[in-house]
Amino acid sequence: MSTQTVPAEPRWQRRKQARPGELLEAALAIFTERGYIGTRLEDVAARAGVSKGTLYLYFANKEELFKAVVRQGLVTPLEEMRDKVETFDGSAADMLRLVVRGWWLRIGATAHAGSPKLMIAEAANFPEIARFYIEEVLLPVHQTLARLVERGVARGEFRPVDAGQVAHLIAAPFLVISAWRHGFGHAIPDRLPALTDAPALLETHLDLLLRGLAPVPAGPAGH
Amino acid sequence: MSTQTVPAEPRWQRRKQARPGELLEAALAIFTERGYIGTRLEDVAARAGVSKGTLYLYFANKEELFKAVVRQGLVTPLEEMRDKVETFDGSAADMLRLVVRGWWLRIGATAHAGSPKLMIAEAANFPEIARFYIEEVLLPVHQTLARLVERGVARGEFRPVDAGQVAHLIAAPFLVISAWRHGFGHAIPDRLPALTDAPALLETHLDLLLRGLAPVPAGPAGH
Amino acid sequence: MSTQTVPAEPRWQRRKQARPGELLEAALAIFTERGYIGTRLEDVAARAGVSKGTLYLYFANKEELFKAVVRQGLVTPLEEMRDKVETFDGSAADMLRLVVRGWWLRIGATAHAGSPKLMIAEAANFPEIARFYIEEVLLPVHQTLARLVERGVARGEFRPVDAGQVAHLIAAPFLVISAWRHGFGHAIPDRLPALTDAPALLETHLDLLLRGLAPVPAGPAGH
Amino acid sequence: MSTQTVPAEPRWQRRKQARPGELLEAALAIFTERGYIGTRLEDVAARAGVSKGTLYLYFANKEELFKAVVRQGLVTPLEEMRDKVETFDGSAADMLRLVVRGWWLRIGATAHAGSPKLMIAEAANFPEIARFYIEEVLLPVHQTLARLVERGVARGEFRPVDAGQVAHLIAAPFLVISAWRHGFGHAIPDRLPALTDAPALLETHLDLLLRGLAPVPAGPAGH
DNA sequence: TATGAATGAGGATTCATTCAT
DNA sequence: GATGAATGAATCCTCATTCAT
């Protein structure tokens, strides 16, 4: 009666092993799809296979969960890409191709692609998170791209251009693709086919970036 | 007291003058800032200087208000631009410049620029509205741009390219600028200066579109 | 200039001649159909062909309108019937037939039949009106019927019975018919056909009242 | 502090025990008193001793709660009565007495008696509910009564009559009693005493049904 | 008189958060 | 740790009432 040695029925086998990682994954998916206010914690919990109350064991409240999603879900994959770019030693044009195609493989085709859409939607509501996102995500990416352009100019591969501006223009289609895949595409998947085939669109993007529309003979930056 | 000729001052000046236009303007601003769900109709009403109930005299419910915002705020200015493009008879390159600069003047610099951000945020939650937006806004714009590209190719001004894809690439920076101005820019206005100076960014965009990054002598599409 | 003889534009021709009677009629119809709370003054106004504001020229508020409806709409037709009964000098059985058939012609088949349903629904919410209705409508009707029964008993036409109770039993089908015509019948008109043919039902009612179900040879009260 | 053996008193007794049954009971009372629209869910919750939100754990919305009230409150007791009648094997007259007295015991004297009043009030506003009520309550009751009458006719106990019509006439006083107890009676409990003593009224009803008002010697259906 | 735009209190419903188990 | 029933603040929407014209 006193020393309750062995529990007759091991209840814990039913436990869900709800580690924060799974919760964040579920949260990212739903935050991305519905936005911050549109996300119901009950749905996040259900998707993670736990109960509502369990979320509160790991995150103080909805806002903290949101911040954790942005922090954990975005920074890591980008850091990997940056490292690759910095250590690359081919031509600037090849580096550009590497970046654009790499973005698709590492981010664009994954769940992470939803985050730009999410941040665009919520930045105004969560200035603190927006600041964090700018510092930790946007600026590093922008710097990497700008340095890439500067290197191309320095090597004579590229015309002299404003690297900061060009960096934005390189990244712009990422946003478009992200928005389509996680926003409109949901509504009508096949209405703008050119957008659905993201890899082809990115190839055209590379082609235009390097050669432009004008029909002059390609320079040394050619394919 | 007898001959009551003409009332010197019209009383109706005291009225609230709550015309739909003002309501839409207020709604656009708040929808853009906070998203669909985050927008409280009471705030919209307050911003327009009327009471909650007044909104319902003009719009059946929140969703109808939202649709009206999208319709009135976007379709009209876009139609004007389209007309201009269709009747333009200069070179394709000049037409491209007209479009890009026109977008900035007509939309990008105005409150309308918030709508892409708004739609990106809400498309997944409101497929019906997203469909409407795609049909009424995105497709027409895309078609106009694609036709412009086709015309350039036909005239020999442009290399043979996939017009549908290029149309998306022409428009991509619009999205970036819109997202910045109405999302992140709110949080840190001066952290990515190249984005803040949208007109300059768009000039670089035009330059890249026409000539690319490669340092070849400019072709006939030159400035 | 002083004596403004003839008004250049006779605005008053557009006026609606909204006398209280028309308003009450419209109100009775809608109160009956939807109950007190369910009735929107806008609908009453629309049905009467006037504007919302006009109602307030004749009735202080919704409750006063309701009271006026009950007062004016019900008392008068009942008083007429009572007079007829009191001056009738045939047999009690014939008087009973007169009353039952008269109820149908004067009330059951008209808009007035809605009022019992209305009062049943609202009595608990408006005790004051209920009291008024009991005093002015129910009691007089009950008294008239009870007196009729007493007369039949006194004349040897009817068995000795509790006149007060029988009076209620005579009137009971009125309530059923009223409820059906103004309540359920709306939902499914043909699901209980015996109720739809109110005159036939009332004839059977008379037959049962006078002879009962038992198959004995009809006595002197026979048709 | 160390050996925290067994909590002497189970904490769960403090729980609110908000089972649907209690909610339905509270809802029936208030719906009956104020009608559908007049009922505020907050009041229902308060009467059941729970909060507003709790109602929504058990019923999707007000209409579903209303339907559940009708269902649980009426269908079950009626089904019990029907079973009794169908398996009864005495005379039709005795069966009739069983039904009329049973109605009083099982329904008329209970809170369930409020539902006819409730449905009369709301049928026009909620055709769907009215349809449900007709199908689930009125028709079964009517059929049972009609079959009872047909049986009496077949056995030679009753004169040949229209069973459908007589069924309505048998049930009519139920409605009157229900309306009085839950409507007017509230306002003036003692103004129409014959109605207040429902059991006596029903006995007179039975007497009239079987023998009529005419003073002929009772037939074989006698007491 | 008559109008109907404007108001805002009131009620249905949702969902983040708590807490007893 | 994990659960999910219970809570109640917050928000959409309705409609009786007012009032400038």
Side-chain angles (χ1 to χ4, degrees):
Chain A
M1 192 203 267
S2 52
T3 50
Q4 208 180 9
T5 49
V6 178
E9 346 146 55
R11 297 254 177 89
W12 51 267
Q13 287 177 347
R14 266 179 262 138
R15 257 198 254 164
K16 256 295 175 180
Q17 266 307 83
R19 259 159 300 123
E22 303 174 23
L23 301 181
L24 287 173
E25 205 175 315
L28 171 61
I30 301 190
F31 273 131
T32 299
E33 189 176 323
R34 315 218 186 125
Y36 180 79
I37 304 185
T39 291
R40 301 189 312 155
L41 291 192
E42 186 154 18
D43 291 344
V44 173
R47 182 165 185 139
V50 301
S51 79
K52 243 184 313 176
T54 301
L55 284 178
Y56 285 85
L57 296 176
Y58 295 98
F59 306 97
N61 52 39
K62 193 179 183 181
E63 187 163 345
E64 288 305 318
L65 172 61
F66 183 76
K67 286 182 189 171
V69 163
V70 173
R71 253 189 299 266
Q72 274 226 359
L74 302 179
V75 180
T76 316
L78 283 171
E79 274 177 350
E80 292 173 15
M81 270 238 345
R82 174 148 51 139
D83 290 347
K84 258 203 185 144
V85 171
E86 302 287 355
T87 60
F88 186 82
D89 69 344
S91 72
D94 282 344
M95 200 188 290
L96 186 60
R97 290 188 191 99
L98 179 76
V99 165
V100 171
R101 290 166 186 158
W103 175 85
W104 173 249
L105 291 176
R106 298 274 182 157
I107 298 179
T110 75
H112 297 310
S115 76
K117 181 223 141 183
L118 176 55
M119 286 308 308
I120 288 172
E122 304 300 346
N125 294 323
F126 297 91
E128 190 194 347
I129 299 181
R131 234 167 284 135
F132 169 81
Y133 191 81
I134 291 172
E135 299 289 349
E136 300 294 323
V137 178
L138 297 188
L139 276 179
V141 168
H142 185 259
Q143 277 173 11
T144 301
L145 293 175
R147 229 171 290 150
L148 188 161
V149 173
E150 279 162 6
R151 180 173 155 169
V153 173
R155 287 169 58 126
E157 283 184 70
F158 296 162
R159 294 186 287 128
V161 287
D162 182 317
Q165 289 177 344
V166 172
H168 287 309
L169 297 170
I170 292 171
F174 299 169
L175 204 59
V176 175
I177 291 171
S178 170
W180 185 259
R181 289 175 62 83
H182 291 271
F184 300 113
H186 241 247
I188 314 184
D190 50 358
R191 208 65 178 80
L192 285 171
L195 259 176
T196 310
D197 186 358
L201 181 63
L202 290 173
E203 290 305 316
T204 302
H205 180 41
L206 283 169
D207 185 42
L208 274 195
L209 275 176
L210 294 171
R211 300 170 54 198
L213 285 167
V216 291
H223 204 65
Chain B
M1 192 204 261
S2 51
T3 51
Q4 200 183 11
T5 50
V6 176
E9 347 144 56
R11 294 263 175 86
W12 51 267
Q13 287 174 347
R14 257 178 269 143
R15 252 203 257 165
K16 273 286 173 180
Q17 274 303 90
R19 255 154 308 116
E22 303 173 22
L23 301 180
L24 286 173
E25 208 175 312
L28 172 60
I30 301 190
F31 273 132
T32 300
E33 188 177 323
R34 312 214 191 132
Y36 180 81
I37 304 184
T39 291
R40 299 186 314 154
L41 291 192
E42 188 156 16
D43 291 344
V44 172
R47 181 167 186 136
V50 301
S51 78
K52 246 180 317 173
T54 301
L55 283 179
Y56 288 87
L57 296 177
Y58 296 97
F59 306 99
N61 51 41
K62 194 179 183 181
E63 188 164 343
E64 288 305 317
L65 172 62
F66 185 79
K67 285 184 191 171
V69 163
V70 174
R71 246 188 304 267
Q72 228 230 12
L74 298 178
V75 179
T76 314
L78 283 171
E79 272 175 355
E80 293 172 16
M81 273 233 349
R82 175 148 51 139
D83 289 347
K84 255 198 190 150
V85 171
E86 303 286 355
T87 60
F88 186 83
D89 69 343
S91 73
D94 283 344
M95 201 188 289
L96 186 60
R97 289 188 191 97
L98 178 75
V99 165
V100 171
R101 290 167 186 159
W103 176 84
W104 173 249
L105 291 176
R106 298 273 182 158
I107 297 179
T110 74
H112 298 314
S115 76
K117 180 226 145 183
L118 177 54
M119 286 308 309
I120 288 173
E122 304 301 347
N125 293 324
F126 298 91
E128 192 194 347
I129 298 180
R131 232 166 285 135
F132 170 80
Y133 191 80
I134 291 172
E135 301 289 346
E136 299 295 323
V137 177
L138 296 187
L139 277 178
V141 168
H142 185 259
Q143 276 173 10
T144 300
L145 293 174
R147 230 170 291 150
L148 187 161
V149 172
E150 280 161 7
R151 180 172 153 171
V153 174
R155 289 170 53 128
E157 283 184 69
F158 297 162
R159 294 185 288 127
V161 287
D162 183 317
Q165 290 177 343
V166 172
H168 287 309
L169 297 170
I170 292 171
F174 299 168
L175 206 59
V176 175
I177 290 170
S178 170
W180 185 258
R181 289 175 62 83
H182 291 271
F184 300 113
H186 242 245
I188 314 184
D190 51 358
R191 209 65 178 81
L192 285 170
L195 258 177
T196 311
D197 186 358
L201 181 63
L202 290 174
E203 289 305 318
T204 302
H205 181 41
L206 282 169
D207 184 42
L208 275 194
L209 276 176
L210 294 171
R211 301 171 52 198
L213 285 168
V216 293
H223 203 63
Chain C
M1 194 203 262
S2 52
T3 51
Q4 208 178 7
T5 48
V6 179
E9 347 149 53
R11 295 252 177 94
W12 51 267
Q13 287 178 343
R14 266 179 261 139
R15 254 198 254 167
K16 257 292 170 180
Q17 266 308 83
R19 261 160 297 125
E22 303 174 22
L23 301 181
L24 287 173
E25 205 176 316
L28 171 61
I30 301 190
F31 273 131
T32 298
E33 188 176 324
R34 314 217 186 127
Y36 180 79
I37 303 186
T39 291
R40 301 189 312 155
L41 291 191
E42 185 155 18
D43 291 344
V44 173
R47 181 165 184 138
V50 303
S51 79
K52 243 182 316 176
T54 301
L55 284 178
Y56 285 85
L57 296 177
Y58 295 97
F59 306 97
N61 52 39
K62 193 181 183 181
E63 188 164 345
E64 288 305 318
L65 172 62
F66 183 76
K67 287 182 189 173
V69 163
V70 174
R71 253 189 297 268
Q72 274 226 355
L74 302 179
V75 180
T76 316
L78 284 170
E79 275 175 353
E80 292 172 16
M81 271 235 347
R82 177 149 47 140
D83 290 347
K84 256 200 188 147
V85 171
E86 303 286 356
T87 60
F88 186 81
D89 68 345
S91 72
D94 282 346
M95 201 188 291
L96 187 60
R97 291 189 190 96
L98 178 77
V99 166
V100 171
R101 290 168 186 155
W103 176 85
W104 173 250
L105 292 176
R106 297 276 182 156
I107 297 181
T110 73
H112 296 311
S115 76
K117 182 224 142 184
L118 176 55
M119 286 308 308
I120 288 172
E122 305 300 346
N125 295 323
F126 297 92
E128 191 194 345
I129 299 181
R131 232 167 285 135
F132 170 82
Y133 190 80
I134 291 171
E135 301 289 349
E136 300 294 323
V137 178
L138 297 188
L139 277 179
V141 168
H142 185 259
Q143 277 173 11
T144 300
L145 294 175
R147 228 171 290 150
L148 187 160
V149 173
E150 279 161 7
R151 182 175 152 168
V153 173
R155 288 171 54 128
E157 282 185 69
F158 297 164
R159 293 186 288 128
V161 289
D162 184 317
Q165 290 177 344
V166 173
H168 287 310
L169 296 170
I170 292 172
F174 299 169
L175 205 59
V176 176
I177 291 170
S178 170
W180 185 260
R181 289 175 63 81
H182 291 272
F184 299 113
H186 244 246
I188 313 184
D190 49 359
R191 209 63 178 80
L192 286 171
L195 260 176
T196 312
D197 186 357
L201 181 62
L202 290 174
E203 289 305 318
T204 301
H205 181 42
L206 283 170
D207 185 42
L208 274 194
L209 275 177
L210 295 171
R211 300 172 53 198
L213 285 168
V216 292
H223 203 67
Chain D
M1 193 206 261
S2 50
T3 51
Q4 201 182 13
T5 51
V6 176
E9 344 142 59
R11 296 264 177 84
W12 52 266
Q13 285 175 346
R14 259 179 270 142
R15 250 204 255 166
K16 273 288 175 179
Q17 275 304 91
R19 255 152 311 114
E22 303 174 24
L23 302 180
L24 286 173
E25 207 175 313
L28 172 60
I30 302 189
F31 273 133
T32 299
E33 188 177 323
R34 311 213 191 132
Y36 181 81
I37 305 184
T39 292
R40 301 186 312 154
L41 291 192
E42 187 155 17
D43 291 344
V44 173
R47 182 169 185 134
V50 301
S51 79
K52 247 180 315 174
T54 301
L55 283 178
Y56 287 87
L57 295 177
Y58 297 96
F59 306 98
N61 52 41
K62 194 179 182 180
E63 188 164 344
E64 289 304 317
L65 171 61
F66 186 79
K67 284 184 190 171
V69 164
V70 174
R71 244 189 303 268
Q72 229 232 10
L74 298 179
V75 179
T76 314
L78 283 172
E79 273 175 355
E80 292 172 17
M81 273 234 346
R82 175 149 51 140
D83 289 348
K84 257 200 188 148
V85 171
E86 303 284 355
T87 61
F88 185 83
D89 69 345
S91 72
D94 283 344
M95 202 188 289
L96 186 60
R97 291 190 189 96
L98 178 77
V99 165
V100 171
R101 290 167 185 158
W103 175 84
W104 173 251
L105 291 176
R106 300 270 182 160
I107 298 180
T110 73
H112 298 315
S115 77
K117 180 227 144 180
L118 176 54
M119 286 310 308
I120 288 172
E122 305 300 347
N125 294 323
F126 298 92
E128 193 194 346
I129 297 180
R131 233 167 283 136
F132 169 80
Y133 191 80
I134 292 172
E135 301 287 348
E136 300 293 324
V137 178
L138 298 187
L139 277 179
V141 168
H142 186 260
Q143 277 174 10
T144 300
L145 294 175
R147 230 171 287 149
L148 188 161
V149 173
E150 280 162 5
R151 182 173 152 169
V153 173
R155 288 171 54 126
E157 284 183 69
F158 297 161
R159 295 186 286 128
V161 288
D162 183 318
Q165 289 177 344
V166 172
H168 288 309
L169 297 170
I170 292 171
F174 299 169
L175 207 60
V176 175
I177 291 171
S178 170
W180 184 260
R181 288 175 63 83
H182 292 271
F184 300 113
H186 242 246
I188 313 184
D190 51 358
R191 209 64 179 80
L192 284 171
L195 258 175
T196 311
D197 186 358
L201 181 63
L202 290 174
E203 290 304 317
T204 302
H205 181 41
L206 283 170
D207 185 42
L208 274 194
L209 276 176
L210 294 171
R211 299 171 54 198
L213 285 168
V216 292
H223 209 65

